[in-house]
Amino acid sequence: MILTPESKKEIFTQYGGSATNTGEAESQIALFSHRITHLTGHLKTNRKDFNTQRSLLKLVGKRRKLLTHLIKVDVVRYREIIQKLGIRK
């Protein structure tokens, strides 16, 4: 997984509003989702990579916590990010 600074800026611009808005919940959720999709693809070919499996579970937990926070703060933003990313919850 090569997540270059340019691709990070693109994700932050698309979901967070600007390239410097890295702390917003939507941008963090989008970044975690990008990493999760990459790790699931890696685990499909390397089933016994348990370190990657642990990293994937930690990322899913972090994303879930952020989604729970976002649903408590603003339901509309939560629904928008779920729809944009195609996350089922």
Side-chain angles (χ1 to χ4, degrees):
M1 172 182 148
I2 299 175
L3 194 60
T4 61
E6 291 82 22
S7 62
K8 280 186 182 182
K9 284 182 183 179
E10 181 181 322
I11 290 171
F12 291 142
T13 304
Q14 186 177 4
Y15 295 102
S18 70
T20 59
N21 195 2
T22 60
E24 192 166 334
E26 288 93 342
S27 57
Q28 290 293 315
I29 291 168
L31 183 66
F32 289 156
S33 296
H34 178 75
R35 291 177 62 196
I36 287 170
T37 55
H38 174 74
L39 289 178
T40 53
H42 173 77
L43 281 173
K44 285 181 183 176
T45 57
N46 303 308
R47 284 190 256 167
K48 293 190 177 185
D49 190 356
F50 298 115
N51 291 326
T52 303
Q53 186 177 8
R54 183 171 187 266
S55 300
L56 176 66
L57 290 174
K58 289 181 81 165
L59 276 176
V60 170
K62 284 182 181 182
R63 183 177 73 177
R64 173 172 273 172
K65 285 180 186 178
L66 278 173
L67 285 170
T68 304
H69 167 72
L70 193 60
I71 199 169
K72 289 178 183 177
V73 173
D74 192 2
V75 177
V76 176
R77 286 172 45 198
Y78 169 78
R79 289 184 183 147
E80 287 176 2
I81 194 71
I82 291 292
Q83 187 178 17
K84 280 184 185 177
L85 293 173
I87 301 172
R88 62 170 200 243
K89 177 86 178 181

